Amino acid sequence: MERYTGKSIFKKVAIGRIFFYEKVEYTVKREKVEDVEAEIKRFDAAKVVAISQLDRIYQKAVKEVGEDNAEVFEVHKMMMDDEDYLDSIYNIIREEKVCAEYAVATTGDNFAAMFASMDDAYMQARAADIKDISERLVAVLMGRDTDMGALDEPVILVADDLAPSETVQMDKSKLLAFVTEHGSSNSHTAILARTMNIPALIGIPIQKEWKGRMAVVDGYSGTITIDPDEAYVAEMRKTMEEDEKKRLMLEQLKGKETVTADGKKSIHLYANIGGVEDTAAALANDAEGIGLFRSEFLYLQSEDFPTEEVQFQAYKQVAQNMGGKKVIIRTLDLGADKQAAYFNLGQEDNPALGYRAIRICLTQQEIFRTQLRALLRASAFGNISIMFPMIISLEEVKEIKSILESVKDELREEGISFKEDIEIGVMIETPAAVFISEELGKEVDFFSVGTNDLTQYTLAIDRQNPKLDKFYNPHHPAVLRALQMIIDNGHKGGAWVGICGELGADLELTETFLKMGIDELSVSPTFVLPVRDKVRKTVISE
Ligand code: PEP
Ligand code: MG
């Protein structure tokens, strides 16, 4: 029995086998080979495996996201058989007498650079596909496990680090826990673990030898135990049973109002989701609505820009699943740790301060208009509100509103129905937005405070940097004073004010939020009932 301690992201226990997830770094070695024909045969065999992986992914994607969205995996299969692509690989192996991994990686880089330099945006986006298929082939050649499709039991996923784009693409029904060496507790991968309701640890010195071994992940003590003995497994099963009992107790709060014990204050209690499938957890936990649908996860799940139709279907489905309850959908908040290769955002020195979120939308307006059309069309099927991230100025809000009006005009002309008086809000997650919150409050229907970013920008602490975790203090008086100012200014301007950052679920602050006058809290689905419990036990009248 070996035990390692790291930092816990979510307090829960999991027992199962380890799946060692290895991503393929594009740094393959240029190794010489003697028998080039044998190397070519090795490549051909890897291609057969990669194509069968793509077949499986395609079938799964058709079921989950429909044929249109799954089409990209068919395109990947075709690309793997492209004559020019294959000729280049064969030529490099034969002429340079080098290993197949190197030939594939070099061909992938060359072809990706060629596509990226083209004028046409569609062709530019193909650069990401070429990189993707080349990485898949290299992974197979190296015998690395990146494909969870073949697993027949849920696993504890152990990885060096996980990008949000990788996490969202994983089959959630196969995941018992995440354990990584790198990553920060404020990253979107951590947020996803909380949404998925699974234990997660970071800062664990992972080892490849753990592959396939039994383990216990204890989110309470922040430990992973490899090859646990029977006594420990039995002890942990008890903890799991106690967790289940607590969960059942909280279930009694379903259908109850989120109101303080003295009846002085009631709030709306909503759930944060990352995709259509999360509405099940929101409903199961009795969320009164969706306070944050991170729409960018739709983009991260795709290999190319999701079409208006694909987005429309997703937003409509969420609205319909929630059956008339409020559904706040945030427009694309890509950038920083959330990267989709086909956006070609490029390297930035300060990505958190960079080209992201609303800045992309106001620059590449076609992307924005497509999303707004999909959102407005879906608004005819439920109670949708639209929220805009990373706002820093009044001018941005005015420009957004004028684009929204012009998209509405377009739909009217086409005779397409939508909710005319659709509610709009802004996220308050920059100090600039805090300082101008009085003016912003007059322009929109609501504010939702993104405390994850507001803490990052107020304290000048990169939320992605695990070394700074101990300095990242969302209880800092500057953050709490900003929050009071946002609530007061929002109310002055006639806007209601909620919190959708992770701080909303912090039970130590529930009383403070209520006393400050917060109107809404939006939290990961599993925190809905604990927050309701806390509110119902709180007395705010002095
Ligand atoms: C936030 O910043 O608090 C927020 C809710 O948005 P995200 O975590 O997706 O940046
Ligand atoms: Mg944010």
Side-chain angles (χ1 to χ4, degrees), residues 238-393:
K238 264 216 179 101
T239 309
M240 288 168 93
E241 278 164 25
E242 276 157 28
D243 280 352
E244 184 57 13
K245 269 190 212 146
K246 273 187 223 153
R247 196 186 63 77
L248 289 173
M249 288 268 288
L250 286 170
E251 291 232 318
Q252 291 172 3
L253 294 175
K254 283 188 180 178
K256 300 242 165 87
E257 209 189 335
T258 311
V259 62
T260 54
D262 54 10
K264 294 275 183 222
K265 170 108 185 119
S266 68
I267 58 162
H268 294 292
L269 185 53
Y270 298 152
N272 293 346
I273 61 167
V276 180
E277 66 284 357
D278 297 335
T279 52
L283 289 167
N285 288 284
D286 199 33
E288 295 158 31
I290 301 298
L292 168 64
F293 174 6
R294 289 181 162 93
S295 71
E296 60 277 7
F297 287 154
L298 264 182
Y299 293 73
L300 293 178
Q301 272 163 340
S302 311
E303 303 286 330
D304 202 348
F305 293 99
T307 60
E308 177 184 320
E309 191 56 26
V310 163
Q311 292 190 60
F312 163 66
Q313 292 298 345
Y315 306 147
K316 176 179 154 193
Q317 195 64 54
V318 170
Q320 286 182 331
N321 289 0
M322 294 308 293
K325 292 179 173 174
K326 193 187 282 295
V327 172
I328 302 176
I329 304 180
R330 169 172 81 184
T331 58
L332 178 68
D333 186 9
L334 226 72
D337 66 326
K338 290 177 283 194
Q339 294 286 341
Y342 58 89
F343 268 77
N344 283 314
L345 294 182
Q347 286 284 334
E348 292 181 301
D349 285 343
N350 291 301
L353 307 180
Y355 184 58
R356 54 175 299 195
I358 203 69
R359 301 168 187 181
I360 299 177
C361 291
L362 293 178
T363 310
Q364 289 169 263
Q365 293 197 3
E366 271 321 301
I367 297 175
F368 194 34
R369 294 181 73 93
T370 301
Q371 183 170 35
L372 291 176
R373 277 183 65 97
L375 285 166
L376 285 169
R377 284 175 55 199
S379 72
F381 298 86
N383 187 8
I384 289 180
S385 309
I386 309 179
M387 170 160 88
F388 304 98
M390 285 293 294
I391 294 298
I392 57 163
S393 75

Side-chain angles (χ1 to χ4, degrees), residues 203-235:
I204 297 283
I206 61 161
Q207 293 170 30
K208 206 168 172 179
E209 292 68 47
W210 295 352
K211 204 171 178 173
R213 283 159 73 179
M214 279 303 288
V216 172
V217 176
D218 177 6
Y220 291 97
S221 60
T223 57
I224 178 166
T225 305
I226 315 292
D227 300 331
D229 61 24
E230 270 176 35
Y232 181 61
V233 170
E235 184 191 326

Side-chain angles (χ1 to χ4, degrees), residues 178-205:
F178 286 135
V179 175
T180 66
E181 181 144 358
H182 298 105
S184 107
S185 48
N186 307 301
S187 69
H188 287 91
T189 293
I191 289 171
L192 278 164
R194 288 191 276 264
T195 306
M196 287 183 208
N197 190 21
I198 59 173
L201 307 177
I202 53 173
I204 297 283

Side-chain angles (χ1 to χ4, degrees), residues 184 186-188 191 452-453 456 461-465 472:
S184 107
N186 307 301
S187 69
H188 287 91
I191 289 171
N452 309 334
D453 277 318
Q456 148 161 278
I461 287 182
D462 177 0
R463 67 191 262 196
Q464 290 304 118
N465 187 340
Y472 182 96

